[in-house]
Amino acid sequence: MARDAASFSSDEEDDHRNLIHQNDTKPVSPAEHRAASFDVEDFETRIGGDRRSKLAKVAFNKRYLVAVVLPIFIVVLYFTADLRSLFSYNLSSIKADSFGDRMRESELRALYLLKQQQLGLLTLWNQTFRDSGADQNSSLSGSNSSEINKGHQSLASSSASFDDFKSAVLKQISWNKEIQDVLLLPHQSGNLSVEGAGDVGLANFGEYGFDRCKKVDQRFSERRTSEWNPKSNKFLLAICLSGQMSNHLICLEKHMFFAAVLNRVLVIPSSRVDFRYHRVLDVDHINQCLGRKVVISFEEFSEIRKKHLHIDRFICYFSLPQHCYVDDEHVKKLKNLGLSMGKLESPWVEDVKRPNKRTVQDIQAKFASNDDVIAIGDVFFADVEREWVMQPGGPLAHKCKTLIEPSRLIMLTAERFIQTFLGKDYIALHFRRHGFLKFCNAKKPSCFYPIPQAADCISRVVGRANTPVIYLSTDAAESETGMLQSLIVVNGRVVPLVKRPASNSAEKWDALLYRHGLQDDAQVEAMLDKTICAMSSVFIGASGSTFTEDILRLRKDWGSASVCDEYLCQGEEPNFIAGNE
């Protein structure tokens, strides 16, 4: 860009020189000037003017000459001194560079949105033909009674289909508006504003029952489920070591699937070697959902097995880079619980960095055992029946929305906070920052965004969702959140960011936590944040964060997931990325 600007400036200078050469005027000699004056005077004499008339004409001609010569002199001086280049070159090149960069960024964003719009329209087109083909087949097949049944089914599903169609069309219109806004953004300057230029016809969609951020239909009735019928004397000890609480909850959920496949009772890890799960989860809730005893605490297990507190087989899902992710320190903690164990073993070669896709049959073949007590660790990175395990509600048959969810006390506290500060319509934002810069820049593309870019992305989601407030779950410093707050402006209105305030005895929304001694517990506070985010109208998460992934799991299982949910600046790359160390 700088080279183009310099080239442009050089071209201008060449043009200036050419213009000077072409318009060069020879200086007028005194003799020629006198001759010109004589001619004028002679002309006046010939027409018979008097002396006063001659003097007036001479004065007129002097003023005329000054008026002609002075502009020529200024032009020559201007081009000789290159004043225009001196005063305007840098400014114009800076403006050109800045505008060009903004245009390029807007065009790339618009291309991404156009691609999304194209995929959405193709999906809508294919769905239309699929439905049309189904209707034609229905009209050509079966008896009268089957035709009536199919007709009833068609009527029952027509309302849902039309809602899906409306939602899909509205999404295309919304994307079209966003593309317009992105392309017009670089042209905003001074008093010129394109605010609302693409809003024609969008404002009144709510009157016709349109919801731009409607809930996702999770199709719970189509779930693939497996029964969990454990043998009361067969146990599986869950070993979860990698990462923080969110990782451990995901690990625990996978252990439940393993226990169901192997027909064993799952033993929750002791708080002496793991997190204090009883403070954030309700174990009894899991048993109630399945209608039988499938999960027990380590303390209950110790009471049952007090005469023989021994792990018969300690099986490692991963053998690389270290067996079970278990180090000597963790083995020592397990033994301090009174547990004895044999040698750690692994049924296969499996690397944490490159996990293989495994099936239920693989688990049954490699982990099934007649031993009373087995331990399996760590399965957080295990890739077993991904679609089955990750479906809404999980892979197991039960009568609740989800098995692993916050305790009742945390749920009630979250509801009280929402009623106090947020109301039913709010966006939740997980804005991960601390330690995330290095983590994200190691990924391709990076997921760590400059605050102005993040604010633009958040503002677009707020515009689509039309919510009055944002709940902010973050580990960012006040300097970052303060700047973020100042930049989130939608339709000329600053959208407030709400964080959980410090405890105040005048506020009663968190009284339940104090009453049960759960205050000032980092894991309880983290679970409370997750719960508030999971209950939001729309959620913006941090790509690559298991904290975000656990929130998305809860939203999916609870049926609160929205079509507007997304990762922060989804589809965009950071507009600036720092170098590596």
Side-chain angles (χ1 to χ4, degrees):
M1 183 69 75
R3 186 169 63 250
D4 293 342
S7 175
F8 176 74
S9 177
S10 177
D11 292 343
E12 276 194 323
E13 291 173 1
D14 291 343
D15 290 342
H16 293 166
R17 294 191 188 97
N18 291 336
L19 286 171
I20 292 170
H21 176 76
Q22 292 169 4
N23 295 286
D24 206 4
T25 305
K26 293 181 179 180
V28 182
S29 67
E32 288 173 333
H33 180 72
R34 285 196 299 273
S37 300
F38 174 78
D39 289 340
V40 172
E41 291 175 1
D42 188 59
F43 177 74
E44 291 293 331
T45 302
R46 285 197 298 269
I47 63 173
D50 57 12
R51 182 178 178 79
R52 182 178 299 173
S53 170
K54 289 179 181 179
L55 291 173
K57 286 294 183 179
V58 170
F60 170 79
N61 280 299
K62 287 180 179 180
R63 290 194 298 272
Y64 177 77
L65 286 172
V66 170
V68 171
V69 172
L70 184 59
I72 295 174
F73 174 76
I74 292 172
V75 170
V76 171
L77 179 64
Y78 176 80
F79 287 113
T80 302
D82 198 13
L83 295 177
R84 180 178 180 184
S85 174
L86 178 63
F87 290 109
S88 66
Y89 166 71
N90 290 333
L91 181 61
S92 63
S93 64
I94 290 172
K95 288 182 177 178
D97 286 351
S98 176
F99 181 75
D101 289 344
R102 293 201 309 272
M103 280 294 295
R104 182 175 179 276
E105 185 176 340
S106 296
E107 287 167 355
L108 290 174
R109 174 66 183 166
L111 284 172
Y112 167 76
L113 291 171
L114 284 169
K115 182 66 175 178
Q116 294 297 104
Q117 189 178 42
Q118 180 191 40
L119 293 174
L121 288 169
L122 283 172
T123 301
L124 188 62
W125 178 266
N126 292 335
Q127 182 64 43
T128 302
F129 271 90
R130 191 158 53 244
D131 293 345
S132 176
D135 290 342
Q136 290 178 4
N137 291 336
S138 174
S139 64
L140 295 173
S141 64
S143 63
N144 290 337
S145 60
S146 64
E147 290 301 318
I148 294 172
N149 290 333
K150 289 178 181 178
H152 288 164
Q153 293 173 1
S154 176
L155 287 172
S157 63
S158 62
S159 177
S161 299
F162 186 58
D163 285 344
D164 291 341
F165 177 81
K166 289 190 297 183
S167 177
V169 171
L170 180 58
K171 181 174 285 189
Q172 304 310 315
I173 296 171
S174 298
W175 269 333
N176 185 274
K177 176 190 178 300
E178 190 168 340
I179 293 167
Q180 293 179 54
D181 290 344
V182 167
L183 289 175
L184 288 170
L185 187 62
H187 299 279
Q188 294 186 17
S189 61
N191 295 325
L192 177 62
S193 174
V194 295
E195 187 74 47
D199 287 339
V200 178
L202 283 176
N204 296 323
F205 273 152
E207 298 177 7
Y208 300 98
F210 285 102
D211 183 0
R212 299 179 71 180
C213 293
K214 64 182 289 187
K215 301 303 178 187
V216 177
D217 182 4
Q218 302 292 356
R219 306 185 185 278
F220 290 105
S221 61
E222 301 174 8
R223 287 176 60 220
R224 176 191 175 190
T225 60
S226 176
E227 295 292 333
W228 188 357
N229 295 307
K231 297 176 182 177
S232 60
N233 62 338
K234 302 294 182 181
F235 302 96
L236 167 61
L237 269 67
I239 305 295
C240 296
L241 299 170
S242 59
Q244 297 301 312
M245 174 65 91
S246 296
N247 297 46
H248 286 225
L249 291 177
I250 294 171
C251 172
L252 202 61
E253 185 180 30
K254 291 183 179 181
H255 267 297
M256 290 168 58
F257 183 58
F258 275 59
V261 170
L262 300 172
N263 299 317
R264 290 179 176 271
V265 174
L266 182 66
V267 180
I268 301 292
S270 168
S271 59
R272 290 165 60 184
V273 298
D274 205 334
F275 292 109
R276 294 185 289 182
Y277 292 103
H278 66 279
R279 295 173 71 88
V280 296
L281 301 177
D282 188 350
V283 174
D284 289 337
H285 163 81
I286 301 173
N287 293 323
Q288 290 167 6
C289 290
L290 282 107
R292 62 187 71 92
K293 195 84 165 181
V294 294
V295 177
I296 61 174
S297 67
F298 183 82
E299 290 69 27
E300 190 173 352
F301 167 75
S302 300
E303 187 63 28
I304 296 172
R305 301 283 301 183
K306 59 185 176 183
K307 292 183 179 179
H308 189 54
L309 203 58
H310 177 72
I311 299 176
D312 300 315
R313 288 188 66 194
F314 203 134
I315 311 172
C316 299
Y317 187 93
F318 289 99
S319 58
L320 298 172
Q322 186 177 2
H323 266 53
C324 288
Y325 248 59
V326 174
D327 55 18
D328 293 339
E329 183 65 25
H330 192 79
V331 171
K332 183 178 179 180
K333 288 181 179 179
L334 289 172
K335 289 182 177 179
N336 287 340
L337 295 174
L339 276 170
S340 60
M341 66 192 73
K343 182 181 176 181
L344 275 63
E345 60 178 280
S346 182
W348 50 36
V349 176
E350 189 80 1
D351 191 340
V352 167
K353 296 180 180 179
R354 292 180 294 275
N356 294 298
K357 293 183 182 298
R358 303 292 186 179
T359 66
V360 166
Q361 290 73 27
D362 293 329
I363 303 305
Q364 290 172 331
K366 298 296 184 180
F367 294 89
S369 172
N370 290 325
D371 295 301
D372 292 340
V373 181
I374 67 171
I376 299 178
D378 175 324
V379 298
F380 170 72
F381 293 103
D383 187 359
V384 179
E385 302 283 6
R386 183 191 297 256
E387 292 184 4
W388 188 5
V389 171
M390 297 299 290
Q391 67 182 338
L396 304 176
H398 58 84
K399 59 184 179 182
C400 301
K401 290 183 177 180
T402 186
L403 294 178
I404 296 181
E405 67 178 16
S407 68
R408 181 64 178 159
L409 289 175
I410 293 177
M411 298 268 281
L412 287 172
T413 301
E415 291 173 355
R416 291 182 176 188
F417 178 87
I418 293 168
Q419 184 176 358
T420 303
F421 294 100
L422 302 173
K424 68 172 184 176
D425 294 323
Y426 65 96
I427 286 177
L429 168 65
H430 176 216
F431 193 54
R432 172 79 186 275
R433 302 297 275 186
H434 181 70
F436 215 45
L437 175 58
K438 184 176 180 180
F439 169 81
C440 279
N441 282 357
K443 299 175 63 178
K444 301 297 180 185
S446 174
C447 52
F448 191 91
Y449 297 89
I451 289 177
Q453 184 179 3
D456 284 342
C457 297
I458 296 164
S459 297
R460 286 197 295 268
V461 178
V462 174
R464 288 199 298 271
N466 192 30
T467 52
V469 67
I470 299 172
Y471 177 68
L472 178 61
S473 174
T474 186
D475 55 4
E478 190 65 34
S479 57
E480 295 188 56
T481 57
M483 182 180 179
L484 183 68
Q485 172 65 91
S486 68
L487 293 174
I488 299 180
V489 180
V490 178
N491 296 327
R493 179 181 66 87
V494 175
V495 182
L497 296 176
V498 177
K499 293 192 292 184
R500 281 187 299 106
S503 180
N504 187 329
S505 59
E507 296 174 0
K508 300 301 180 183
W509 63 269
D510 57 352
L512 285 173
L513 300 184
Y514 278 83
R515 198 177 304 158
H516 291 83
L518 298 175
Q519 75 280 8
D520 302 324
D521 184 312
Q523 300 307 326
V524 171
E525 291 182 354
M527 186 60 81
L528 179 59
D529 258 15
K530 280 185 185 179
T531 309
I532 296 170
C533 289
M535 291 180 173
S536 63
S537 304
V538 173
F539 175 62
I540 304 172
S543 176
S545 166
T546 52
F547 188 91
T548 280
E549 295 307 315
D550 206 35
I551 292 170
L552 292 174
R553 176 189 65 84
L554 285 172
R555 291 178 64 77
K556 179 177 60 179
D557 293 353
W558 286 349
S560 59
S562 163
V563 295
C564 293
D565 288 357
E566 62 177 53
Y567 296 114
L568 179 64
C569 293
Q570 186 168 312
E572 293 186 32
E573 293 188 19
N575 58 31
F576 185 88
I577 300 176
N580 296 322
E581 296 178 16

